[in-house]
Amino acid sequence: MDRKYILTILVAGLLGFIGAMLLMPPTIQDEKVRLPWRVTTNRAGDTQVFGFTLGETRLAELRRFFGEDGTINLFETPGAREPLTVEVYFEQVYLQSLRADFIITLDVDQATLKPMYERGLRISKMESGDKKIKLDPTDVETLLARPIRSITYLPQARLDNETIEKRFGPPSERRLDPSNGIIHWLYPDRGFDIARNTKGKIVIQYVNRADFSRLALPLAGAQTPADPGTAPP
């Protein structure tokens, strides 16, 4: 192959790599250790992770830390005990070099959310039957003072059973959902649940210990899977 042609390919590849790096948002670093397996509880029993405290850290603080507003919506789930919830979605956050999406559920009572629903600018129906409501900007400003109720962490990385146990420690129990093959690693004393599918993709939900029954109740009838050492990698 012509030497000049090879050099052209190498230069083009290098420029492409540099361009991709420039487009990649900077990883967030500060003096705190903000890793998904560093989960603690304070004296009140509230879950602390990523440097945030559930039930205490406010949406305004999250926005300042992430350096973006996120996408905020009100959701209605007909028939649920608490049909109205507010979620804020932060996409492709690079936190201590780990890439993940964050879904933040805010702690807001139904009496406050109902008039926000009525003032919603647009309602769209989802395939699940739930409704998604675009909030009035004035209501969004009000929600900045509300604390976090839960965090759903969706990392890009895939983890095997050994890595999960090494990083997060052994769970109190594991439950297999036979409808989808997802295994839930339950940590009620520390306030989180790791859901892992057969391909190693995981979703971690963090709640306060007092709210953990909301995660465990849907799994009450689920099976106990085989030992991690014999489960699919």
Side-chain angles (χ1 to χ4, degrees), residues 3-162:
R3 186 175 177 181
K4 183 178 179 181
Y5 182 65
I6 294 175
L7 183 59
T8 301
I9 293 176
L10 290 175
V11 171
L14 179 60
L15 291 175
F17 175 76
I18 293 173
M21 292 297 292
L22 291 174
L23 291 173
M24 183 182 297
T27 185
I28 301 174
Q29 301 275 10
D30 60 11
E31 71 281 1
K32 293 184 179 180
V33 179
R34 300 178 185 267
L35 295 169
W37 50 84
R38 293 292 293 268
V39 188
T40 59
T41 55
N42 61 15
R43 291 184 178 181
D46 298 328
T47 299
Q48 298 177 308
V49 64
F50 302 115
F52 311 133
T53 301
L54 303 190
E56 181 179 312
T57 302
R58 313 281 170 170
L59 175 58
E61 181 181 339
L62 278 179
R63 282 185 163 186
R64 287 194 298 270
F65 177 74
F66 287 136
E68 60 174 296
D69 290 346
T71 303
I72 184 168
N73 285 294
L74 173 65
F75 292 91
E76 181 187 33
T77 304
R81 185 171 61 88
E82 296 181 353
L84 299 175
T85 56
V86 175
E87 292 183 357
V88 190
Y89 179 52
F90 295 93
E91 185 177 11
Q92 294 189 16
V93 175
Y94 286 81
L95 188 57
Q96 296 200 204
S97 301
L98 299 177
R99 173 182 165 182
D101 297 342
F102 285 78
I103 301 175
I104 308 297
T105 302
L106 299 182
D107 190 0
V108 192
D109 60 86
Q110 298 294 296
T112 300
L113 292 178
K114 189 171 181 180
M116 291 186 179
Y117 177 94
E118 299 297 333
R119 292 190 293 268
L121 303 181
R122 184 173 65 251
I123 299 177
S124 54
K125 192 168 184 179
M126 306 170 69
E127 290 185 7
S128 62
D130 294 357
K131 293 179 181 177
K132 182 171 71 173
I133 299 90
K134 181 177 176 60
L135 291 166
D136 183 279
T138 303
D139 289 328
V140 173
E141 288 298 314
T142 300
L143 292 170
L144 293 178
R146 302 304 304 184
I148 303 169
R149 182 174 184 179
S150 66
I151 298 175
T152 301
Y153 180 72
L154 302 95
Q156 181 188 38
R158 300 175 187 268
L159 302 181
D160 58 26
N161 292 324
E162 182 180 357

